[in-house]
Amino acid sequence: MNDRRRLLRLLAASPVFACSGITTASLAKLFASGQIDEVIAAPEQAINVMDFEPAARRKLPPAHFGYLATGVDDDATVRANREGFARFQLRVRRLIDVRAIDTGVRLFGTAWDTPIVLAPVGHQKAFHPDGEVAVAQAARSKRHLQILSTVTSSSVEAVIAARGAPVWQQLYPTDDWNVTRAIVKRAEAAGCPVLVLTVDLQGGSNRETLERSRRVDSRPCATCHTPGIPGQFKRHPMFDDLDLSKVTMLQPQHITWDFVKRLRDTTSMKLVIKGIVTRDDAQLSVEQGVDGVIVSNHGGRGEESNRSTIECLPEVIEGAAGRIPVLIDGGFRRGTDMFKALALGASAICVGRPYVWGLAAFGQPGVEAVLGIFRRELQMAMRQAGTTSIDKINKSYVIAR
């Protein structure tokens, strides 16, 4: 509704409408009658990635959209992730030949055409029947790195086959080491080169927006969601054929750096920790032999810190001290957002909700459209700033307000 009101105000204030005598009230009637529809009907109609959100909302059941949209408590950290970008300004250069732009990066020795990464999002068949496989096909088409969630609704083997190349595997550890180890070994056997350990949900999360959306969803949720464990994992292939009798939770509260060492000693995969937001933990990650970190607050779904990831990034970069790559997620909606993070030292940018909006609304073509918009906007930001390659983007191009 806020999007509609904003659009009405913009249209009513435009010179064309001002001259025509059309009022905001009359525009509202046109929207209400269906003669004007602000929700896109095809991917190519999107002007920016935010256009996919109302299209996804229209397609999804309330509880499923609520799961995607929710933060915690008052959703203040979700908002903070977006608002944080406004605290940094771009310092652009002029009179540089920007006809050729190179967005390529390297992560752990692998070359990628773009620093834009598909972040792990669970339960993707809740958003579209093709789920993670459609996302993998889009990633293949657009040549993006994909990170697969532990609670994927498609197997890691099927996703890698659809991607045509290895993906990174995200890990939610359980409180049964044998189950956790089995998941790690399965990902390793499938060819995943990197394991991404999520550590930002140990304290639990109070997802009020999700709970409210469930209350307005009239569908019989028990058809798909069986209470308790192992019923919780019955639609998640990474748990197939595992003995879950001793599992009581994901993200157990007793996990410490000792667990990180145990994991490090268990697998030959590179180990990245997702959820680091301080200099201290970045330094410890390096000391503990971790291969990389992702600055993340779980898209505002972990703790209600009211602190954006882009504001956390500088101190994490300082703690890592150039010894390991630092990726980041949280609220990225524009190419200029990505440029700012790259200027502050990020190695790559992970995006979550926007590509799932595209998936929910239009399947694989929607994901491809979202990625295409992001790439186009990042290239434009690079041209506007006078940076012809990712390695030329540095701190001199950004100023903290």
Side-chain angles (χ1 to χ4, degrees), residues 14 33 52 56 64 67 98 103 117 134 163 167 172 205-206 217 244 255-256 273 286 314 331 340:
S14 72
S33 67
F52 290 90
H64 289 193
Y67 171 80
V98 291
T103 59
V117 178
R163 174 64 183 81
V167 300
Y172 288 127
S205 59
N206 179 37
D217 198 324
L244 304 176
I255 285 181
T256 66
I273 296 184
V286 173
K340 291 173 183 179

Side-chain angles (χ1 to χ4, degrees), residues 79-223:
R79 294 190 295 274
N81 277 342
R82 286 296 305 134
E83 293 162 359
F85 293 107
R87 298 188 176 99
F88 295 90
Q89 298 173 327
L90 294 182
R91 180 176 177 271
V92 302
R93 302 294 304 278
R94 307 300 188 197
L95 296 174
I96 296 169
D97 185 346
V98 291
R99 287 174 293 179
I101 295 293
D102 178 11
T103 59
V105 297
R106 297 186 72 86
L107 293 171
F108 302 126
T110 300
W112 297 96
D113 289 356
T114 171
I116 304 168
V117 178
L118 294 157
V121 178
H123 322 288
Q124 289 184 17
K125 286 186 180 179
F127 310 116
H128 189 276
D130 297 332
E132 293 84 358
V133 168
V135 172
Q137 291 167 338
R140 181 177 189 167
S141 171
K142 295 295 184 179
R143 301 178 300 281
H144 285 256
L145 170 60
Q146 179 182 7
I147 308 177
L148 187 66
S149 172
T150 300
V151 288
T152 172
S153 47
S154 304
S155 71
V156 63
E157 294 84 2
V159 171
I160 288 175
R163 174 64 183 81
V167 300
W168 292 8
Q169 177 67 59
Q170 178 267 348
L171 177 67
Y172 288 127
T174 75
D175 53 356
D176 182 342
W177 169 251
N178 291 326
V179 171
T180 300
R181 184 181 184 279
I183 293 171
V184 170
K185 289 301 181 182
R186 180 174 174 179
E188 187 175 85
C192 297
V194 177
L195 185 69
V196 180
L197 172 66
T198 294
V199 298
D200 53 19
L201 290 179
Q202 279 180 262
S205 59
N206 179 37
R207 300 182 180 181
E208 293 184 6
T209 295
L210 172 57
E211 182 56 34
R212 294 184 190 282
S213 70
R214 285 172 173 162
R215 295 182 182 185
V216 298
D217 198 324
S218 59
R219 298 169 307 127
C221 294
T223 303

Side-chain angles (χ1 to χ4, degrees), residues 214-254:
R214 285 172 173 162
R215 295 182 182 185
V216 298
D217 198 324
S218 59
R219 298 169 307 127
C221 294
T223 303
C224 299
H225 302 281
T226 304
I229 296 173
Q232 178 181 343
F233 302 127
K234 73 175 185 177
R235 292 174 178 264
H236 300 106
M238 295 305 290
F239 295 90
D240 286 352
D241 303 321
L242 299 181
D243 179 5
L244 304 176
S245 61
K246 296 180 181 177
V247 176
T248 63
M249 67 175 68
L250 292 176
Q251 289 282 347
Q253 296 176 356
H254 65 269

Side-chain angles (χ1 to χ4, degrees), residues 77-85 119 274 294-301 307-311 327-333 337-338 341 348-354:
T77 307
V78 175
R79 294 190 295 274
N81 277 342
R82 286 296 305 134
E83 293 162 359
F85 293 107
K274 180 176 181 288
I294 301 178
V295 180
S296 177
N297 54 30
H298 218 92
R301 300 156 71 91
R307 190 175 185 223
S308 69
T309 54
I310 192 70
E311 292 173 287
L327 292 74
I328 183 172
D329 67 23
F332 288 86
R333 303 290 183 268
D337 300 338
M338 296 176 177
I349 313 301
C350 303
V351 296
R353 287 185 178 97

